[in-house]
């Protein structure tokens, strides 16, 4: 196959076709913002204490039966124990007054044998109140969050191969249908186990939507709009869904109704099937040149430009075997692909630990949980805007390392902030969220630019799978804060700074054409360092061709 960007250069860098595709694909990402973090509200733990059954107790003893315990220097009612009910009943019937006649600290305590009473000040119901996921069962809440990310893992592994085999468009809309059905079924869950199992399908379908739509936009849009789509577009529309979620949850305080409403939002995407085209790049790699040319000619018509008689030359197409199928095993066949993939795995894993760790931690912050979630979401907007501007002119490798170091560095500083100035710690946490959000937006376009078309979706899927390992562990890293509140920040910060150093060994992709084949990736992705320049020249690149490549890069820079 020849150079797709050169063959379709007559379409221009902007136009109605590109703008319509840009907007419609971006609306798909709104659904991922809705469904990615609703566990923050569905799995919230309201204030609670042991249920006191309707027995003969005086008002004084009914108020005193729950002991007080100290948490972070503050005395609160115990959430997991009470004074023994039989003893309290006897003392109440004999007329003793708690505190005056009886020293409460001398009384024996027992577990919440009759269940719990939950505050309905904020939530009418959550999965915690539904199935009593507190005290000895509180580990089930982070487990439920992790089940979503386990689904991300399986979805990342499967969606890439399905998309490369059946097409990006089909997988996007099939995943939307699965997501809609899964969230709806989850709202009817009869047990915690059923909730977690269905959450696997929610996660698998959601990450499949994200990756397939992301790759589809990367391959369909022009160079100029590709950067806009993969930064400000995809992530900003995801953020719109993320920012809208707390307001929907604010109006719907019952978790079952909330999930049913979120499920219904996917229905609006059905008409998009007739307006979003398949990736011509992918069609050409599959030998379906006629379909690819039909899409490109329709794009030319809508952009009001004339298409040449022959768009993809037959001699160029014959260079690639038609219908060649690639799998994850192909990534292991080439040394440079293996090295790039291993480094990308570490990057994606550490970024996801930091990003989702801080996102899920919003429920532990003081204040209104709906406003906290909204502020956490809106703090990402500046990061997406800044990343869009910087990615146009800045090297991806250095940019990613800088913001990884920023995100990890401020998290390590939190442990040195005294208790009296918690606002400073909160500001540092938001700064860390800014750094991780920047890194999150950069790593997507960086990884997509590293892999060739024939392996791009598989490569993105493999890297996203490693990221899910980080996402799965993120809820438990935050859970470690119940033992030592600075421990999560130390772990996330150290891992992030380490990955920022590893990132420096990746090749640069700024102002480079997207590779179509593995051979083009090896030759054009900047893997040859200056110390190996002579070796690269001996492998077929003359000094004259290198000069032409540099001149071409300068022209592309001016055009951008």
């Amino acid at each position: 196959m020849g150079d797709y960007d050169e063959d379709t250069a007559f379409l221009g860098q902007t136009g109605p076709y590109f703008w319509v595709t840009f907007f419609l694909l971006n609306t798909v990402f709104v659904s991922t913002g809705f469904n990615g973090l609703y566990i923050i509200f569905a799995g919230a733990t309201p204030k609670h204490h042991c249920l006191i059954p309707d027995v003969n107790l005086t008002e004084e003893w009914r108020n005193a039966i729950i002991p007080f315990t100290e948490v972070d220097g503050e005395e609160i009612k115990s959430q997991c124990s009470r004074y023994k009910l039989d003893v309290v009943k006897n003392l109440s019937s004999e007329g003793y007054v708690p505190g005056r006649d009886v020293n409460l600290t001398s009384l024996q305590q027992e577990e919440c044998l009759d269940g719990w009473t939950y505050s309905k000040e904020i939530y009418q119901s959550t999965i915690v109140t539904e199935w009593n996921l507190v005290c000895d069962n509180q580990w089930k809440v982070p487990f439920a969050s992790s089940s979503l990310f386990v689904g991300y893992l399986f979805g990342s592994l499967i969606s890439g191969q399905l998309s490369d085999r059946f097409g990006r468009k089909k997988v996007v809309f099939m995943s939307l249908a699965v997501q809609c059905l899964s969230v709806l079924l989850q709202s009817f869950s009869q047990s915690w186990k059923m909730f977690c199992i269905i959450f696997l399908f929610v996660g698998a379908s959601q990450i499949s939507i994200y990756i397939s739509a992301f790759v589809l936009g990367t391959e369909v849009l022009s160079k100029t709009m590709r950067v806009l789509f993969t930064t400000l577009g995809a992530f900003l529309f995801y953020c719109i869904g993320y920012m809208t979620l707390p307001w929907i949850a604010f109006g719907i305080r019952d978790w079952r109704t909330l999930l049913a409403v979120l499920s219904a939002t996917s229905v609006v995407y059905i008409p998009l099937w007739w307006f979003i085209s398949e990736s011509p790049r992918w069609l050409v790699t599959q030998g379906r040149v006629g379909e690819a040319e039909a899409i490109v000619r329709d794009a030319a018509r809508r952009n009001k430009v004339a298409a040449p008689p022959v768009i993809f030359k037959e001699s160029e197409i014959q260079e690639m075997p038609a219908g060649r199928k690639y799998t994850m095993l192909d990534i292991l066949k080439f040394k440079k692909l293996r090295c790039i993939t291993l480094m990308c795995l570490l990057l994606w894993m550490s970024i996801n630990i930091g990003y989702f760790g801080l996102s899920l931690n919003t429920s532990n912050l003081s204040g209104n949980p709906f406003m906290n979630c909204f502020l956490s979401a809106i703090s990402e907007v500046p990061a997406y805007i800044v990343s869009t501007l910087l990615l146009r002119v800045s090297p991806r490798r250095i940019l990613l390392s800088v913001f990884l170091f920023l995100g990890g560095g401020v998290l390590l500083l939190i442990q040195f902030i005294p208790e009296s100035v918690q606002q400073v710690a909160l500001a540092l946490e938001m700064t860390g969220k800014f750094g991780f959000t920047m890194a999150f937006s950069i790593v997507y376009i960086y990884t997509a630019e590293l892999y060739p078309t024939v392996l791009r979706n598989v490569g993105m899927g493999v890297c996203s799978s490693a990221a899910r390992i980080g996402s799965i562990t993120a809820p438990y890293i935050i859970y470690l804060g119940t033992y030592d509140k600075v421990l999560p920040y130390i772990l996330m910060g150290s891992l992030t700074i380490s990955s920022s150093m590893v990132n420096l060994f990746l090749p640069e992709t700024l102002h480079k054409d997207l590779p179509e084949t593995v051979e083009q990736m090896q030759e054009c992705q900047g893997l040859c360092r200056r110390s190996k320049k002579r070796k690269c020249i001996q492998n077929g690149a003359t000094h004259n061709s290198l000069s032409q490549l540099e001149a071409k890069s300068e022209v592309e820079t001016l055009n951008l």
Side-chain angles (χ1 to χ4, degrees):
M1 173 177 175
D3 191 325
Y4 177 89
D5 289 321
E6 289 184 359
D7 291 338
T8 58
F10 63 89
L11 292 175
Q13 291 297 307
T14 59
Y17 172 78
F18 290 132
W19 280 113
V20 170
T21 302
F22 173 85
F23 176 76
L24 294 181
L25 279 177
N26 276 322
T27 59
V28 173
F29 295 114
V30 176
S31 71
T32 62
F34 280 151
N35 298 289
L37 294 169
Y38 62 68
I39 188 64
I40 294 175
F41 303 107
T45 303
K47 294 180 181 179
H48 57 278
H49 59 76
C50 292
L51 173 66
I52 309 304
D54 189 14
V55 294
N56 188 20
L57 291 177
T58 63
E59 189 66 24
E60 291 88 352
W61 279 107
R62 188 169 292 276
N63 293 331
I65 194 172
I66 305 297
F68 281 84
T69 183
E70 186 173 323
V71 178
D72 294 332
E74 180 183 358
E75 281 198 349
I76 62 172
K77 285 188 174 183
S78 175
Q79 297 179 333
C80 299
S81 63
R82 69 185 182 189
Y83 295 120
K84 294 194 69 171
L85 184 61
D86 291 341
V87 174
V88 171
K89 284 173 59 178
N90 292 333
L91 293 172
S92 176
S93 62
E94 294 176 7
Y96 289 100
V97 177
R100 188 189 70 182
D101 303 325
V102 179
N103 183 7
L104 295 177
T105 58
S106 64
L107 297 181
Q108 290 183 329
Q109 298 183 17
E110 62 183 2
E111 297 179 350
C112 300
L113 302 178
D114 299 298
W116 289 262
T117 297
Y118 297 93
S119 169
K120 293 190 176 183
E121 179 183 359
I122 299 177
Y123 306 100
Q124 289 298 311
S125 71
T126 68
I127 63 171
V128 174
T129 64
E130 184 95 5
W131 299 307
N132 291 326
L133 306 183
V134 293
C135 300
D136 291 341
N137 288 323
Q138 63 181 340
W139 62 270
K140 293 182 178 181
V141 178
F143 187 93
S145 299
S146 293
S147 65
L148 171 71
F149 299 123
V150 172
Y152 278 14
L153 174 61
F154 287 114
S156 300
L157 292 171
I158 298 172
S159 66
Q161 298 187 63
L162 290 176
S163 181
D164 283 339
R165 182 175 293 273
F166 299 108
R168 285 58 163 131
K169 177 181 174 180
K170 289 181 180 179
V171 174
V172 167
F173 285 92
M174 178 186 70
S175 301
L176 280 168
V178 173
Q179 176 185 259
C180 177
L181 182 60
S182 298
V183 176
L184 182 62
L185 289 176
Q186 193 178 34
S187 69
F188 293 99
S189 297
Q190 297 303 306
S191 66
W192 169 77
K193 291 181 180 179
M194 181 178 177
F195 182 92
C196 292
I197 292 173
I198 299 178
F199 221 7
L200 293 173
F201 293 94
V202 175
S205 60
Q206 185 184 90
I207 197 62
S208 179
I209 293 170
Y210 205 102
I211 293 178
S212 299
F214 191 91
V215 172
L216 178 57
T218 301
E219 295 180 351
V220 170
L221 297 174
S222 62
K223 282 185 184 179
T224 300
M225 298 195 65
R226 185 187 306 148
V227 175
L228 187 64
F229 171 79
T230 52
T231 53
L232 188 61
F235 293 102
L236 187 58
F237 275 74
Y238 161 82
C239 196
I240 290 173
Y242 185 6
M243 289 188 294
T244 308
L245 172 64
W247 300 115
I248 298 176
F250 177 80
I252 305 174
R253 306 296 181 94
D254 175 73
W255 74 272
R256 292 185 184 273
T257 307
L258 174 64
L259 267 59
V261 170
L262 293 177
S263 170
T265 61
S266 297
V267 177
V268 302
Y269 296 111
I270 294 176
L272 301 190
W273 173 267
W274 291 275
F275 296 95
I276 296 176
S277 62
E278 182 56 89
S279 167
R281 286 179 187 266
W282 176 79
L283 289 170
V284 171
T285 63
Q286 303 302 302
R288 297 160 61 179
V289 183
E291 297 176 55
E293 284 206 356
I295 292 174
V296 174
R297 292 188 186 280
D298 179 63
R301 179 185 60 80
R302 293 162 67 179
N303 281 355
K304 299 180 180 180
V305 296
V310 178
I311 298 175
F312 304 110
K313 298 177 182 178
E314 184 178 355
S315 59
E316 293 177 339
I317 297 170
Q318 289 176 349
E319 293 179 15
M320 174 178 290
R324 170 75 163 91
K325 306 299 181 184
Y326 289 86
T327 66
M328 287 183 291
L329 296 178
D330 290 287
I331 293 179
L332 304 177
K333 293 180 181 179
F334 305 93
K335 181 179 179 181
K336 292 176 181 178
L337 261 175
R338 290 196 300 269
C339 294
I340 288 175
T341 301
L342 288 175
M343 287 186 281
C344 285
L345 296 183
L346 177 61
L347 281 173
W348 281 64
M349 182 169 63
S350 61
I351 291 172
N352 274 259
I353 287 177
Y355 177 83
F356 284 105
L358 293 180
S359 297
L360 294 173
N361 195 45
T362 56
S363 60
N364 297 325
L365 302 177
S366 59
N368 187 295
F370 305 103
M371 181 58 68
N372 288 341
C373 182
F374 176 75
L375 293 177
S376 178
I378 204 171
S379 67
E380 298 185 9
V381 175
Y384 295 139
I385 295 175
V386 172
S387 64
T388 300
L389 298 175
L390 291 179
L391 280 170
R392 291 177 176 271
V393 296
S394 302
R396 282 81 163 103
R397 180 174 53 190
I398 301 300
L399 199 62
L400 183 56
S401 291
V402 167
F403 285 102
L404 281 172
F405 191 85
L406 171 66
V410 295
L411 292 184
L412 290 178
L413 289 176
I414 290 179
Q415 61 182 307
F416 302 108
I417 304 301
E419 294 284 344
S420 57
V421 285
Q422 282 303 299
Q423 294 299 324
V424 177
L426 181 61
L428 287 176
E429 184 165 340
M430 290 299 103
T431 304
K433 182 71 179 299
F434 175 86
F436 282 112
T437 303
M438 285 286 297
F440 205 91
S441 61
I442 294 168
V443 78
Y444 261 91
I445 184 173
Y446 192 20
T447 306
E449 290 176 343
L450 284 171
Y451 285 99
T453 299
V454 294
L455 278 169
R456 186 168 296 118
N457 229 64
V458 172
M460 291 285 288
V462 170
C463 292
S464 186
S465 299
R468 299 320 133 204
I469 298 176
S471 304
I472 292 167
T473 58
Y476 291 102
I477 290 179
I478 296 302
Y479 182 66
L480 291 176
T482 58
Y483 301 100
D484 188 340
K485 65 180 182 179
V486 301
L487 187 56
Y489 300 113
I490 295 175
L491 292 175
M492 290 188 291
S494 301
L495 180 60
T496 304
I497 289 179
S498 300
S499 64
S500 71
M501 302 302 173
V502 172
N503 176 66
L504 295 175
F505 294 97
L506 282 172
E508 185 52 63
T509 61
L510 180 64
H511 301 324
K512 301 289 180 65
D513 291 335
L514 284 178
E516 308 294 343
T517 65
V518 176
E519 290 74 19
Q520 288 180 359
M521 174 190 176
Q522 291 179 340
E523 295 170 0
C524 303
Q525 286 299 308
L527 292 175
C528 298
R529 301 183 181 277
R530 291 183 179 180
S531 61
K532 299 180 181 180
K533 190 173 183 179
R534 180 177 301 175
K535 182 178 179 181
C536 293
I537 293 174
Q538 291 175 351
N539 288 338
T542 65
H543 289 285
N544 185 44
S545 63
L546 287 173
S547 300
Q548 293 175 352
L549 183 60
E550 292 172 357
K552 177 182 176 183
S553 179
E554 292 177 7
V555 171
E556 290 177 351
T557 303
L558 292 174
N559 290 335
L560 288 174

